């Protein structure tokens, strides 16, 4: 149509019927158009034999006919890589179909032959490692080491072995020296003894130097005994007599101190006093200090309760969240423990909407609680 859209009208047995249908659709879609409709180009027609059967009668393993693209297609995997090839005939003649088919078959056979040749050929190593010679300090002949070295950094450097191996001492090819290692208190202590040259006498001298250092470290570690401070011996009878004389104070045997404990606003607090010595006078002094701390906290709580009894009562009620029961129960009114107030609920029978009203007492006394309850009951009666 005029907007560039394609309109599908159906399938017809002859081209004349299809053109008539296209003109009719054009006049219906664009009634005031003066130009003729533009026909959609169709795919090229094959020969009569090929038109009778869309797929040509040829077969070869790995080659297939793509009906949509009208071409021969083949694929093969070479060294984990997938390769594709296609050949399209110029027209629908038998000669072109046969030529394109033979072209795909020849490509497929060539790829298979190349793949078999590549699979038989050995793959070279990415990083070949040369063998490293090993030299012995006992004056023997030099013999190459058959085993491959662990790292490539020390390849080609001389490696020596002692006449009498000693645990903890080894040769470092990277630094060309003897290394002695000892673990002390969870830490690794190391030393290095480097020979002046690679002569037998110099290698033996540096090796014995590393061995002597290692033996000295072990001997020093065996002699060093950690000093453990002896715990002072306290008189158990005195500690037990003092602990029974006051409530809330006990003697901690493992820690060796007096421990006082009290509860403040629902939380437990502890106070520890450790005597400086095991004498009786020091035990009594530490005990009196714990008693003074315990009494100071109790006196402060008594003073606060005497100054503001209502505030303390409200705080205790909120902390405990005690339940309050009215003298005369009324439907629709309940006590909210978390908010410490009366809640009146009412449901409208027509709309089904629920309404609430809170009545909070200024003080948690019986008179104020009853006054708040009557206030909530009055609002509920008025709304009904």
């Amino acid at each position: 149509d005029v907007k560039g859209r394609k309109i599908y009208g159906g399938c017809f047995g002859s081209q004349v019927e299809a053109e008539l249908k296209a003109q009719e659709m054009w006049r219906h879609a664009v009634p005031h158009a003066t130009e003729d409709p533009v026909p959609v180009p169709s795919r090229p027609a094959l020969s009569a034999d090929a038109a009778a059967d869309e797929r040509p009668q040829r077969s070869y393993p790995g080659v297939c006919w793509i009906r949509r693209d009208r071409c021969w297609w083949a694929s093969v995997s070479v060294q984990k890589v997938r390769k594709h090839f296609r050949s399209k005939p110029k027209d629908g003649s038998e000669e072109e179909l046969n030529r394109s088919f033979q072209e795909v078959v020849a490509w497929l056979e060539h790829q298979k032959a190349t793949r078999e040749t590549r699979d038989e050929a050995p793959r070279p190593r990415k990083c070949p490692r040369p063998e490293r010679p090993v030299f012995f300090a006992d004056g023997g002949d030099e013999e190459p080491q058959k085993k491959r070295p662990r790292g490539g950094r020390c390849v080609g450097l001389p490696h020596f072995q002692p006449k009498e191996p000693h645990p903890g001492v080894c040769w470092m090819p990277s630094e060309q020296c003897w290394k002695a290692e000892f673990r002390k208190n969870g830490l690794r202590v190391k030393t290095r003894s480097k020979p002046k040259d690679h002569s037998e006498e110099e290698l033996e001298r540096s090796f014995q130097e590393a061995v002597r250092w290692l033996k000295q470290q072990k001997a020093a570690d065996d002699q060093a005994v950690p000093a453990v401070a002896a715990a002072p011996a306290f008189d158990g009878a005195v500690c037990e007599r003092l602990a029974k004389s006051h409530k809330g104070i006990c003697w901690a045997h493992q820690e060796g101190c007096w421990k006082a404990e009290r509860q403040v606003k629902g939380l437990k607090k502890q106070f520890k006093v450790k005597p400086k010595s095991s004498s009786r006078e020091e035990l009594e002094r530490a005990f009196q200090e714990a008693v003074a701390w315990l009494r100071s906290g109790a006196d402060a709580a008594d003073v606060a309760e005497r100054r503001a009894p209502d505030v303390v009562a409200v705080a205790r009620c909120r902390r405990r969240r005690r339940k309050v029961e009215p003298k005369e129960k009324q439907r629709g009114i309940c006590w909210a423990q978390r908010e410490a107030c009366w809640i009146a609920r009412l449901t409208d029978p027509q709309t089904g909407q629920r309404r609430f009203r809170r009545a909070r007492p200024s003080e948690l006394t019986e008179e104020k609680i009853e006054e708040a309850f009557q206030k909530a009951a009055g609002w509920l009666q008025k709304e009904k």
Side-chain angles (χ1 to χ4, degrees):
D1 58 0
V2 293
K3 296 184 179 180
R5 296 174 298 181
K6 296 180 181 180
I7 303 175
Y8 179 75
C11 299
F12 302 92
S14 62
Q15 185 176 0
V16 178
E17 295 180 3
E19 291 179 355
L20 293 176
K21 182 63 177 178
Q23 293 178 3
E24 181 182 355
M25 293 171 59
W26 175 261
R27 289 192 299 269
H28 179 72
V30 189
H32 303 289
T34 57
E35 300 178 358
D36 294 337
V38 179
V40 178
S42 59
R43 60 186 180 182
L46 297 176
S47 61
D49 298 337
D53 186 8
E54 289 285 342
R55 187 179 186 279
Q57 297 296 331
R58 291 173 179 81
S59 62
Y60 188 84
V63 182
C64 62
W65 172 260
I66 305 299
R67 183 182 301 178
R68 182 185 61 185
D69 300 336
R70 292 187 172 273
C71 65
W72 296 102
W73 174 83
S75 68
V76 66
S77 178
V78 179
Q79 293 185 354
K80 299 182 180 181
V81 178
R82 198 74 180 176
K83 293 185 178 182
H84 305 268
F85 181 77
R86 61 177 62 194
S87 179
K88 189 174 184 179
K90 298 179 181 180
D91 51 26
S93 61
E94 288 291 335
E95 293 77 6
E96 280 297 323
L97 289 172
N98 191 23
R99 182 196 62 79
S100 59
F101 178 77
Q102 295 298 333
E103 184 179 358
V104 175
V105 170
W107 176 86
L108 186 60
E109 291 179 353
H110 175 71
Q111 293 295 330
K112 289 182 178 180
T114 307
R115 181 180 61 181
E116 294 177 359
T117 306
R118 290 177 180 177
D119 294 343
E120 294 177 359
R123 296 183 181 180
R125 291 182 59 88
K126 293 183 179 179
C127 299
R129 297 178 179 177
E131 294 184 353
R132 181 182 65 179
V134 178
F135 303 91
F136 298 89
D138 54 356
D141 299 334
E142 299 180 359
E143 298 179 0
Q145 186 180 8
K146 296 183 179 180
K147 295 182 181 180
R148 295 183 181 273
R150 293 184 180 179
R153 186 178 62 177
C154 304
V155 174
L157 298 178
H159 183 77
F160 300 97
Q161 296 179 358
K163 295 180 180 180
E164 296 179 0
H166 193 278
V169 182
C170 63
W171 175 260
M172 294 185 65
S174 59
E175 300 183 13
Q176 292 294 295
C177 65
W178 297 102
K179 182 186 73 171
E181 182 177 351
F182 176 69
R183 185 178 290 273
K184 183 178 181 180
N185 297 331
L187 301 177
R188 290 184 178 181
V189 184
K190 304 178 184 179
T191 187
R192 292 171 176 81
S193 179
K194 191 171 184 178
K196 297 179 181 179
D197 51 25
H198 291 167
S199 62
E200 185 177 353
E201 296 78 8
E202 191 63 27
L203 289 172
E204 184 66 21
R205 183 197 61 80
S206 58
F207 176 76
Q208 293 300 332
E209 183 181 352
V211 171
R212 284 194 301 271
W213 177 89
L214 187 61
K215 291 181 179 179
Q216 291 176 3
Q217 295 295 327
K218 291 183 178 180
D221 185 65
D222 295 340
Q223 294 177 1
V225 178
V228 180
F234 296 98
D235 191 353
V238 176
C239 296
E240 186 177 358
R241 179 178 58 82
L242 293 174
K244 290 182 179 180
S245 62
H246 199 284
K247 187 178 180 180
I249 302 178
C250 64
W251 174 257
H253 294 275
Q254 295 182 355
E255 302 177 10
C257 64
W258 293 105
K259 182 168 65 175
E261 183 177 347
R262 70 186 180 192
Q263 190 171 3
V264 179
K265 294 183 179 180
L267 301 177
K268 290 184 179 181
K269 292 188 177 182
Q270 292 183 355
F271 180 71
K272 298 180 182 180
V273 183
K274 192 170 185 178
K276 299 179 181 179
S277 63
S278 59
S279 61
R280 183 173 181 178
E281 293 78 9
E282 187 63 25
L283 284 173
E284 292 181 355
R285 184 199 62 79
F287 178 77
Q288 295 299 331
E289 186 176 351
V291 172
W293 176 85
L294 198 62
R295 289 179 177 177
S296 63
D299 295 343
D302 295 342
V303 171
E305 188 172 358
R306 261 187 266 109
R307 288 183 179 178
D310 298 338
V311 176
V312 174
V314 171
R316 287 180 179 175
C317 181
R318 289 183 179 177
R319 183 172 65 251
R320 298 175 184 174
R321 295 178 182 176
R322 64 183 181 86
K323 189 175 181 181
V324 178
E325 296 290 343
K327 295 181 180 180
E328 297 180 1
K329 293 185 179 181
Q330 185 173 352
R331 187 176 181 181
I333 302 176
C334 65
W335 173 260
Q337 298 183 16
R338 183 181 295 274
E339 302 178 8
C341 65
W342 295 104
I343 297 179
R345 297 181 178 88
L346 179 64
T347 304
D348 193 347
Q350 298 180 358
T351 60
Q353 185 180 3
R354 302 188 68 181
R355 288 179 292 175
F356 302 87
R357 181 66 178 270
R358 290 177 174 81
R360 191 187 307 277
S362 57
E363 301 175 1
L364 294 181
T365 59
E366 295 184 1
E367 295 79 7
K368 297 296 182 181
I369 292 175
E370 185 64 24
E371 182 180 351
F373 178 79
Q374 295 299 333
K375 186 176 179 180
W379 175 84
L380 191 64
Q381 187 69 21
K382 180 181 178 181
E383 294 295 331
K384 288 184 178 179

